Amino acid sequence: MSFPAPKLKSPELPQHLHRRLACNQGAVRAVRFNADGHYCMTCGSDKSLKLWNPHKGTMLKTYSGHGYEVLDAAGSCDNSQICSCSSDKTVILWDVAQGQVVRKFRGHAGKVNCVDFNEESTVVVSGSIDSSIRCWDCRSRRPEAIQILDEAKDGISSIKVSDHEILAGSVDGSLRRYDLRAGELCADYVGSPITCVSFSRDSQCLLASSLDSCLRLLDKDTGELLGEYSGHKNTSYKLDSCLSEKDTHVVSCSEDGTVCFWDLVEGSLALQLPVSKGVVQSLSYHPTEPCLLTASEGEVQVWRGEPPGDDAGSGSQ
């Protein structure tokens, strides 16, 4: 006698609000989970960078050293350092425990929009409105960048770094992928100014959002358009997008105060999550769990897959 195969449980979407973090740092320009998802960083328009445990709602440390609003941040693989970038044209490497500036990298000619570590957290990669990408050695005392990538024709809005690739989105409407092992550059022209780029979790696909209120999923190797996702509003602001922790859904902020989830394969809008009355500017998806952070109107919202009463002990260990 054969039993029917068990039904696969449909992936949970983080649609239940668990907590609000009042950041008290002006507008929150970006919110970012750290590498293991236990902590997060918030970038403020008041020049500050803050470290939080979002699962408990506790603020752990404030990092002050930028001269203008902080636009992006990333945590190192061992959680010992944070890199951040700002409208003051600098990139700062921070010691997490001490709260001190380790290095301040200068070289960009305009505000620095985005920043990321390489896989070993030995190099910081930054993208600026000056249309260049600069790579900074965290271990060297040299003040200048170790490499400058200046193929873009307009400002760099978003970068992501994998083990051997740099993915960059630009206001010139092109998605560029630098393969550092092969020494190759692959460019895909989208046409509309790109606001955010990301790798899928399996590194086979690239996601790009642009100012025509559309997200596009591309095959990394061939550049083939695998899917288009629309239904949100993104015509004016640099908004975040990403893929869910299991690559099942495409997620994007929206200018109408919502976060949209699309089924990756079908392309259908699965959920439109009402977050606030204002623009939802930034989001960050937990690396392994259905947990989402959103930033809007000076605060961060923590969303999970299960209702608030069911999460006893499911926060950060």
Side-chain angles (χ1 to χ4, degrees):
M1 178 181 171
S2 63
F3 291 98
K7 279 188 180 175
L8 284 171
K9 190 181 172 190
S10 62
E12 288 179 332
L13 293 178
Q15 54 189 309
H16 300 286
L17 179 63
H18 277 235
R19 187 168 272 112
R20 293 177 185 272
L21 309 178
C23 297
N24 298 317
Q25 52 186 154
V28 179
R29 295 300 180 207
V31 59
R32 300 285 180 256
F33 267 119
N34 73 324
D36 56 21
H38 288 177
Y39 304 98
C40 75
M41 296 144 285
T42 55
C43 305
S45 63
D46 70 345
K47 315 177 194 174
S48 73
L49 173 70
K50 292 188 177 182
L51 180 68
W52 303 78
N53 180 330
H55 311 292
K56 293 181 179 173
T58 50
M59 202 271 287
L60 304 172
K61 216 169 194 67
T62 300
Y63 303 85
S64 302
H66 278 297
Y68 212 66
E69 57 183 13
V70 186
L71 298 178
D72 196 11
S76 65
C77 56
D78 62 356
N79 297 329
S80 68
Q81 293 182 320
I82 295 171
C83 62
S84 63
C85 62
S86 164
S87 297
D88 66 6
K89 309 180 191 176
T90 68
V91 176
I92 293 183
L93 183 67
W94 305 88
D95 182 288
V96 168
Q98 302 293 324
Q100 301 295 317
V101 174
V102 179
R103 297 288 310 281
K104 188 177 273 196
F105 301 111
R106 295 181 177 87
H108 281 296
K111 72 176 184 178
V112 188
N113 287 322
C114 44
V115 72
D116 202 5
F117 277 108
N118 69 334
E119 196 175 43
E120 296 84 22
S121 302
T122 54
V123 175
V124 172
V125 182
S126 59
S128 166
I129 198 172
D130 68 6
S131 77
S132 76
I133 299 166
R134 290 172 191 253
C135 305
W136 314 90
D137 189 338
C138 300
R139 299 171 297 183
S140 162
R141 304 306 298 177
R142 286 175 57 193
E144 65 272 5
I146 52 174
Q147 188 164 13
I148 301 172
L149 308 168
D150 55 4
E151 285 75 18
K153 307 288 190 293
D154 208 331
I156 306 292
S157 58
S158 177
I159 52 171
K160 294 290 185 299
V161 185
S162 73
D163 58 346
H164 66 285
E165 293 165 316
I166 298 173
L167 181 66
S170 171
V171 182
D172 67 10
S174 282
L175 179 70
R176 292 177 177 85
R177 179 172 58 88
Y178 297 87
D179 188 320
L180 304 177
R181 285 179 187 162
E184 291 177 352
L185 165 62
C186 298
D188 293 290
Y189 184 63
V190 170
S192 178
I194 293 173
T195 59
C196 187
V197 294
S198 47
F199 290 102
S200 59
R201 305 277 174 183
D202 64 5
S203 292
Q204 298 301 304
C205 305
L206 311 174
L207 181 69
S209 57
S210 52
L211 289 181
D212 57 359
S213 297
C214 184
L215 292 100
R216 293 171 178 84
L217 187 72
L218 306 173
D219 184 284
K220 190 178 83 172
D221 295 322
T222 66
E224 179 188 354
L225 183 65
L226 302 175
E228 289 187 312
Y229 310 89
S230 57
H232 65 304
K233 182 174 184 238
N234 184 12
T235 57
S236 309
Y237 295 94
K238 174 185 171 334
L239 304 184
D240 285 341
S241 61
C242 65
L243 289 152
S244 62
E245 88 280 10
K246 290 180 179 156
D247 280 344
T248 56
H249 288 80
V250 171
V251 190
S252 175
C253 298
S254 181
E255 290 166 17
D256 60 7
T258 64
V259 168
C260 295
F261 295 78
W262 293 267
D263 184 284
L264 178 97
V265 179
E266 295 175 8
S268 55
L269 188 61
L271 174 67
Q272 197 157 6
L273 187 68
V275 175
S276 72
K277 295 186 178 71
V279 175
V280 184
Q281 189 166 9
S282 183
L283 59 77
S284 186
Y285 216 104
H286 193 284
T288 56
E289 297 173 12
C291 177
L292 177 73
L293 303 177
T294 54
S296 183
E297 298 182 321
E299 68 172 22
V300 166
Q301 302 84 19
V302 184
W303 307 83
R304 284 187 163 273
E306 71 284 338
D310 305 347
D311 68 332
S314 73
S316 165
Q317 273 82 44

